[in-house]
Amino acid sequence: MGSYLFVSMSYGLLMQEAGWKWGWSLLVSMTVYTGAFQFVLITFLSSGASLLTIALTALFMNSRQFFYGLSFVEEFRQMGKRYPYMVHTMTDETYAANCALQMQQEQRAKESDQKMGQNEKKAVPEEDEKNIAKSLENIRKRDEMFWITLFSRISWMLGAVAGGVIGQSIPVELTGIDFCMTALFVTIFVDQWRSAKSHIPALLGLGCGVVLLLLVGPDYFLLPTLILVSGILLLIRGTMNSAVGAGSGEEAVEHE
């Protein structure tokens, strides 16, 4: 929420500078709600670009969401009435937070299994009890995912309005302010790097991104990068899982 407030405030400031009042910033944030493209949309609105140009640009800029969504189709489907809202409000940041929640749940499950196996005096719970505990854990995780998504969106809308109001009443120097979006992505990358057991996906994404950026340019490199990285990860998935599993085993031995 803290990062979203400041990033969306810069968006509201830029919208105000382009002549669009805070009400328009709020409306776009409620309906479009895609940070990077909202910044680009300011230029389109100011230049009078066609709806086709805007739609195609939005499609290509947000095509990465196709890949994000594949990871959580079943998870969101289990959330009932909240399913459409979770799909509409998925962003880079909420995707990263959802992945972190999944990793935490998996880690807790592994630790629980290890404790049960090491403690011979402790009675092993019945299968039904284990299923109930797992179901409750899933419900809690989905609730956390929903609240993170909701509060993120609320903070983005509040920041957009605040930026518009500030820009309307106080002169602000806006040079370089749009860099806050890049800074947010870097922060997410560093956080994921520190928490992930394997750095292969991050290094693949970084390497493929740089290569395709040089080959096809900044306007078209994102989608082929995602396709290439996803393909490579699918091919080496077995090797990666084995490496991560071996690493977890070594850590457990060292802990003992």
Side-chain angles (χ1 to χ4, degrees), residues 24 27 61 80 102 110-111 147 158 172 205 215 235 239 248-249:
W24 289 104
L27 179 62
M61 282 193 66
Q102 279 198 329
K110 289 180 181 179
E111 291 175 355
W147 289 114
L158 289 175
V172 179
L215 289 176
L235 290 174
T239 304
S248 301

Side-chain angles (χ1 to χ4, degrees), residues 34-37 58-69 91-92 185 222-223 226:
T34 165
F37 178 71
L59 176 64
F60 284 110
M61 282 193 66
N62 296 288
S63 57
R64 63 189 183 280
Q65 303 291 351
F66 297 146
F67 297 88
Y68 295 168
T91 63
D92 301 284
F185 287 142
L222 185 57
L223 182 58
L226 288 169

Side-chain angles (χ1 to χ4, degrees), residues 200 232-246:
I200 294 176
I232 295 175
L233 288 175
L234 284 173
L235 290 174
I236 65 173
R237 179 175 55 182
T239 304
M240 279 187 56
N241 290 339
S242 300
V244 172

Side-chain angles (χ1 to χ4, degrees), residues 56-208:
L56 289 176
T57 304
L59 176 64
F60 284 110
M61 282 193 66
N62 296 288
S63 57
R64 63 189 183 280
Q65 303 291 351
F66 297 146
F67 297 88
Y68 295 168
L70 290 174
S71 305
F72 289 98
V73 169
E74 293 302 323
E75 195 77 50
F76 289 169
R77 193 171 289 165
Q78 297 296 323
M79 298 177 71
K81 295 180 180 179
R82 295 179 291 185
Y83 175 39
Y85 185 79
M86 296 299 294
V87 172
H88 171 63
T89 53
M90 174 175 274
T91 63
D92 301 284
E93 295 76 22
T94 56
Y95 172 76
N98 291 341
C99 289
L101 287 175
Q102 279 198 329
M103 287 190 291
Q104 290 173 6
Q105 184 187 33
E106 292 170 0
Q107 184 63 29
R108 284 195 295 265
K110 289 180 181 179
E111 291 175 355
S112 177
D113 291 341
Q114 289 175 358
K115 289 179 181 178
M116 288 168 54
Q118 293 171 1
N119 191 354
E120 296 179 356
K121 296 180 181 180
K122 185 175 181 179
V124 179
E126 297 293 335
E127 192 66 27
D128 290 344
E129 294 180 2
K130 293 174 65 176
N131 291 336
I132 292 173
K134 184 177 180 180
S135 177
L136 292 174
E137 178 73 13
N138 286 331
I139 292 173
R140 187 181 74 169
K141 181 187 67 174
R142 289 164 190 155
D143 286 341
E144 291 175 350
M145 290 167 63
F146 172 74
W147 289 114
I148 288 173
T149 299
L150 178 64
F151 287 139
S152 295
R153 189 180 184 212
I154 290 173
S155 63
W156 181 274
M157 292 189 294
L158 289 175
V161 172
V165 172
I166 292 172
Q168 187 175 353
S169 55
I170 303 173
V172 179
E173 175 57 48
L174 300 180
T175 303
I177 198 170
D178 52 346
F179 181 75
C180 62
M181 180 63 70
T182 303
L184 179 58
F185 287 142
V186 172
T187 302
I188 293 171
F189 177 83
V190 172
D191 184 61
Q192 290 295 306
W193 178 277
R194 294 172 62 184
S195 62
K197 293 181 179 179
S198 173
H199 298 316
I200 294 176
L203 293 173
L204 273 174
L206 188 61
C208 293

